[in-house]
Amino acid sequence: FENFATNSFEQLCINLANEQLQFYFNQHIFAHELAEYAAEGVKGADVKYTDNKAMLAMFYKRPLGLLAVFDEESRFNTATEASLVAKFNQHFQYEPGFVKLQARDCFGITHYAGQVIYDATTFLEKNRDPLSDKMVAVFAHCDHQLVRSLFTPRDDKASPEKKSFDMLRLPSRRYGKKSSSEASAGANGSSAAGASDLARSESSRRKAESATLKKNEKNESATMKRKELSRKRKESLPKTNPAGKQVSVSAQFKASLEDLMARMHSSEPHFIRCI
């Protein structure tokens, strides 16, 4: 989380990511625990925490979320920082997390960690961040295959359109339960007494299968890492959507954050408390 003397577009992106991770943390540590308390008849009503779901909704909601308004204003060549802040004030002045200021080029956001004042002076320029068409053309015809592949437009029509991830989705609790394979292994272990030869044979077979599986997983992991690196390099470049409009930096950032949260929702989280 960042809060400097002057906070710009970079700080907004960083703080939004932290806001999203805080929401994920809250749901696992507080919301799920309180639900289990209720299911077991344990009183937990005195446990209080700050739910920042409304803050995230202000950023993500369509068609008039803060990111959507920001992207829309970035498409107009005549837009200025003052007009951007004026639209923010118009649409979000009654939102509990938004702070309307007297300064024409500044606005405030009350994050879970505290209030941050953002200077919108370079917001539009940073969000557009255009790359020269001539530069793209030069790299697209480069003799180096890797460089050429990074600047070659992808055929979005060849693959189904990726659906955006619901950033306000509540994570499911995946840990704390034994899998059916673990339960089965326990049952088999208890019934294997007196059959040591069979157990040793089964153990050898499982070790061989495990070694083969690990080898295959290692190869697949290396392949996936190469593909992921290539994907990240491509996503770091200015892109255009099927309609031919350039995708803004904030839209790319939101897509990356959606991808991160989709991965986290499919995993088993562990948290470390730092003092």
Side-chain angles (χ1 to χ4, degrees):
F1 190 84
E2 295 187 352
N3 187 5
F4 302 136
T6 301
N7 300 288
S8 189
F9 178 60
E10 297 86 350
Q11 281 67 52
L12 181 66
C13 292
I14 291 171
N15 292 341
L16 175 57
N18 278 279
E19 197 81 52
Q20 183 69 58
L21 294 174
Q22 180 68 15
F23 174 73
Y24 182 81
F25 173 83
N26 283 345
Q27 295 306 313
H28 276 285
I29 299 301
F30 295 107
H32 284 312
E33 288 293 340
L34 291 177
E36 288 188 6
Y37 287 174
E40 296 175 6
V42 178
K43 293 183 179 180
D46 56 335
V47 178
K48 306 295 183 182
Y49 69 97
T50 302
D51 189 353
N52 62 340
K53 184 175 182 179
M55 166 64 65
L56 293 174
M58 181 183 72
F59 276 92
Y60 299 137
K61 65 182 179 182
R62 303 288 296 183
L64 293 177
L66 194 143
L67 292 180
V69 172
F70 184 26
D71 274 354
E72 181 184 23
E73 192 70 5
S74 299
R75 296 191 185 103
F76 298 111
N77 295 329
T78 57
T80 64
E81 283 74 16
S83 66
L84 173 65
V85 174
K87 284 194 174 182
F88 283 170
N89 291 336
Q90 175 187 351
H91 293 292
F92 309 113
Q93 60 180 324
Y94 299 113
E95 293 283 350
F98 185 84
V99 181
K100 182 180 179 180
L101 303 174
Q102 295 295 327
R104 296 180 58 195
D105 297 342
C106 295
F107 64 96
I109 300 290
T110 304
H111 294 282
Y112 75 92
Q115 185 181 110
V116 180
I117 305 301
Y118 294 99
D119 184 349
T121 301
T122 57
F123 265 48
L124 294 173
E125 178 184 355
K126 291 177 178 178
N127 194 39
R128 292 164 181 156
D129 192 26
L131 187 64
S132 170
D133 292 338
K134 292 183 179 180
M135 183 180 296
V136 173
V138 169
F139 283 115
H141 294 84
C142 177
D143 294 335
H144 197 288
Q145 183 179 0
L146 175 60
V147 175
R148 186 171 63 252
S149 66
L150 297 178
F151 286 84
T152 302
R154 289 172 290 179
D155 185 8
D156 294 331
K157 296 181 180 179
S159 58
E161 184 178 355
K162 179 183 178 182
K163 295 183 179 179
S164 61
F165 182 77
D166 182 6
M167 302 294 275
L168 301 180
R169 168 185 168 187
L170 300 182
S172 59
R173 191 150 200 174
R174 298 166 56 88
Y175 52 91
K177 298 179 181 179
K178 280 190 175 183
S179 65
S180 59
S181 60
E182 289 175 335
S184 175
N188 291 338
S190 62
S191 62
S196 58
D197 292 340
L198 180 61
R200 282 195 295 270
S201 177
E202 180 68 12
S203 176
S204 299
R205 183 184 65 81
R206 289 185 178 182
K207 286 182 180 180
E209 289 181 350
S210 177
T212 303
L213 181 61
K214 287 182 179 180
K215 183 178 179 180
N216 292 338
E217 287 180 346
K218 186 176 181 181
N219 294 335
E220 290 178 0
S221 177
T223 302
M224 290 298 295
K225 285 182 179 179
R226 287 195 295 269
K227 290 182 178 180
E228 181 70 10
L229 179 60
S230 176
R231 183 184 67 81
K232 288 183 177 180
R233 285 173 174 170
K234 289 180 180 180
E235 289 184 349
S236 67
L237 301 172
K239 308 176 186 67
T240 57
N241 59 24
K245 295 180 180 178
Q246 184 174 342
V247 178
S248 66
V249 174
S250 63
Q252 295 181 47
F253 172 78
K254 181 174 180 289
S256 297
L257 190 55
E258 286 178 351
D259 183 63
L260 170 64
M261 297 313 301
R263 292 170 184 269
M264 291 182 67
H265 275 260
S266 63
S267 65
E268 180 178 324
H270 298 276
F271 300 99
I272 299 176
R273 181 181 180 183
C274 301
I275 301 177

